[in-house]
């Protein structure tokens, strides 16, 4: 095994949650997707949603849409078949959505628990972040549900009647939606303007050496096969891959660029970003 990948695996084995350990095994050792499903069951609530701090910046036991997005993303990444979990999550999302099918990231219940500072009132508003990302994951999973269709209609109406958002995460979620929605002709009409707007935002880091938190070309095109890969030059991608590779710390893990709500959350996030880093480096042929 490549030495960089081996060091990352050692870090994940020592510090990451079971979920990230099983996702690593599924990606690099042909581990069973059922192990990912079992790891997610720990976070499931009776309402069909997911809770218990599944997104490490919020240490809330209650179900939240952001937790559903993390769970569905893990299932999609592992290629897992878990219709009970997916249908339950959709039922939960339908129950907390507004009249248009949109859901917020979180609810005020998070204020009773430790959370990162940026998780505040703005996360309580129904929005394309996370609705568009959730819909894209249901398309990836091949999961049909009435809420998916309602929420997809909301996303199309947003794209075709609302001003283009400035938030990089909202734009990123919309690009996920456009990547996986079946209506390819309609999606390809909207994608160029969204990409152009995204790369103009301050929190998009076109420069690989830009300090602090931000999205990069590797977030938008995490594999060479991404439909948005051609939005960036070879030089941009190579510079960000070099920067990503160089960011591995002596303990084998990668750092984060924001302040989580505690040491346990920090360790969990480092497991998440370390897994993301080696996935991206491997996809671009940077690991043996």
């Amino acid at each position: 095994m490549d030495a960089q990948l081996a060091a990352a695996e050692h870090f994940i084995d020592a510090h990451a949650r079971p979920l990230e350990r099983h996702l690593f095994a599924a990606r690099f050792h042909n581990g069973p997707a059922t192990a990912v499903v079992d790891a997610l069951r720990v976070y499931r609530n009776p309402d069909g949603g997911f809770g218990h701090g599944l997104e490490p910046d919020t240490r809330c036991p209650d179900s939240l849409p952001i937790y559903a997005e993390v769970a569905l993303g893990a299932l999609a990444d592992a290629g897992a078949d878990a219709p009970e979990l997916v249908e339950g999550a959709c039922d939960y999302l339908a129950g907390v959505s507004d009249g248009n099918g949109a859901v917020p990231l979180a609810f005020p219940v998070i204020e009773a628990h430790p959370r990162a500072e940026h998780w505040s009132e703005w996360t309580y508003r129904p929005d394309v972040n996370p609705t568009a990302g959730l819909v894209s994951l249901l398309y990836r999973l091949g999961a049909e549900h009435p809420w998916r269709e309602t929420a997809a209609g909301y996303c199309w109406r947003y794209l075709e009647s609302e001003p283009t958002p400035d938030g990089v995460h909202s734009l990123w979620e919309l690009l996920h939606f456009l990547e996986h929605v079946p209506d390819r002709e309609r999606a390809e009409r909207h994608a160029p303007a969204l990409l152009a707007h995204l790369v103009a935002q301050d929190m998009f880091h076109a420069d690989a050496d830009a300090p602090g938190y931000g999205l990069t070309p590797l977030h938008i095109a995490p594999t060479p096969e991404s439909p948005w890969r051609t939005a960036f030059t070879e030089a941009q991608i190579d510079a960000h891959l070099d920067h990503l590779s160089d960011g591995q710390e002596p303990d084998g893990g990668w750092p984060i660029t924001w302040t989580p709500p505690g040491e346990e959350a920090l360790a969990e996030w480092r497991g998440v970003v370390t897994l993301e880093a080696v996935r991206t480096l491997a996809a671009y042929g940077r690991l043996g």
Side-chain angles (χ1 to χ4, degrees):
M1 180 184 289
D2 176 271
Q4 189 170 31
L5 182 59
E9 181 172 22
H10 180 81
F11 176 86
I12 287 173
D13 284 346
H15 301 289
R17 302 180 294 189
L19 176 60
E20 280 70 42
R21 296 204 298 271
H22 291 307
L23 285 167
F24 183 96
R27 170 60 180 83
F28 292 102
H29 297 305
N30 200 29
T34 53
V36 174
V37 176
D38 290 340
L40 284 171
R41 290 188 192 279
V42 176
Y43 298 93
R44 198 169 186 233
N45 282 326
D47 61 7
F50 293 84
H52 311 286
L54 183 52
E55 196 279 2
D57 273 345
T58 50
R59 317 302 286 179
C60 180
D62 299 79
S63 295
L64 299 174
I66 181 59
Y67 295 157
E69 186 172 29
V70 173
L72 294 175
L75 293 173
D77 289 343
D81 182 22
E84 176 192 358
L85 268 62
V86 175
E87 185 173 357
C90 288
D91 289 345
Y92 162 74
L93 292 165
V96 299
S97 64
D98 67 9
N100 296 312
V103 295
L105 287 161
F107 299 105
V109 66
I110 65 173
E111 296 176 13
H113 306 280
R115 68 191 192 279
E117 184 176 350
H118 59 274
W119 281 85
S120 57
E121 289 83 357
W122 71 272
T123 66
Y124 310 153
R125 297 191 298 271
D127 193 61
V128 289
N129 177 20
T131 307
L134 285 159
V135 174
S136 77
L137 290 167
L138 294 174
Y139 284 127
R140 283 181 64 191
L141 289 162
E144 297 184 358
H145 190 277
W147 179 78
R148 188 193 74 174
E149 302 313 309
T150 302
Y154 159 77
C155 293
W156 282 126
R157 290 192 298 276
Y158 187 100
L159 282 165
E160 293 172 349
S161 63
E162 297 291 332
T164 304
D166 290 332
V168 291
H169 286 280
S170 293
L171 292 162
W172 191 21
E173 296 273 294
L174 286 167
L175 286 171
H176 282 304
F177 172 76
L178 294 179
E179 180 175 356
H180 297 289
V181 71
D183 190 341
R184 301 313 308 151
E185 181 179 353
R186 196 176 181 187
E188 288 162 12
R189 287 201 305 269
H190 289 282
L194 284 183
L195 282 164
H197 195 65
L198 172 62
V199 301
Q201 302 306 306
D202 289 341
M203 284 185 65
F204 179 79
H205 290 175
D207 182 354
D209 295 320
Y213 178 80
L215 300 187
T216 77
L218 298 179
H219 289 101
I220 311 307
T223 74
E225 295 76 31
S226 167
W228 321 132
R229 165 64 187 84
T230 56
F232 310 106
T233 67
E234 291 288 342
Q236 283 179 305
I237 294 292
D238 285 344
H240 280 277
L241 287 168
D242 289 343
H243 187 270
L244 180 62
S245 181
D246 292 344
Q248 189 174 29
E249 298 197 325
D251 62 6
W254 268 259
I256 64 172
T257 54
W258 66 96
T259 303
E263 290 300 315
E264 184 175 354
L266 173 61
E268 292 175 358
W269 265 125
R270 291 195 67 210
V272 171
V273 300
T274 297
L275 176 61
E276 291 175 350
V278 292
R279 277 177 173 164
T280 301
L281 292 170
Y284 279 96
R286 290 295 191 101
L287 297 178

